[in-house]
Amino acid sequence: MRITIATMKPISSIILAALLAACVQAYGCVVVESSAISDRAGAGNPISSSASDLGFLRLVAPQGLTQTALANLLSNCATGKVSGVTTELSMRDFLIVQSYTVSVNAVCN
């Protein structure tokens, strides 16, 4: 069987599509949403924490990430009094699986 340029075009298109799909799967798409719970200004020591989990098909999101991140944050503050709390939700999409991460920053008073 002799391979010609006409038969190489469909093969190269398939290889290019497979490489593109592999790159999208490996790197994922990242969506970041951020919100402030209180003023960001405050005197004290800056502290931070985060919590992560997986979701599926954007239909089944993990539960309790914010509460876990906040509990981790409060464990970093001896007084338990914080101000300037900000949260950030980042989601990385890998086709059917999503990785959710909640990051919390604050000032320990």
Side-chain angles (χ1 to χ4, degrees), residues 6-107:
T7 58
M8 290 297 289
K9 284 186 180 183
I11 292 172
S12 63
S13 297
I14 291 171
I15 291 172
L16 181 61
L19 286 173
L20 181 62
C23 288
V24 168
Q25 179 66 24
Y27 291 104
C29 298
V30 177
V31 176
V32 176
E33 298 174 6
S34 179
S35 65
I37 297 173
S38 64
D39 292 334
R40 293 182 182 205
N45 298 325
I47 55 174
S48 63
S49 71
S50 64
S52 300
D53 204 354
L54 298 176
F56 301 97
L57 295 174
R58 292 190 183 223
L59 298 174
V60 181
Q63 300 296 313
L65 280 181
T66 304
Q67 291 84 357
T68 303
L70 183 59
N72 293 343
L73 182 82
L74 291 175
S75 69
N76 293 335
C77 183
T79 63
K81 296 180 181 181
V82 295
S83 65
V85 179
T86 59
T87 62
E88 180 178 275
L89 170 66
S90 63
M91 181 186 68
R92 192 166 186 172
D93 197 358
F94 298 99
L95 298 178
I96 63 170
V97 177
Q98 292 78 41
S99 171
Y100 293 85
T101 302
V102 174
S103 301
V104 182
N105 298 307
V107 175

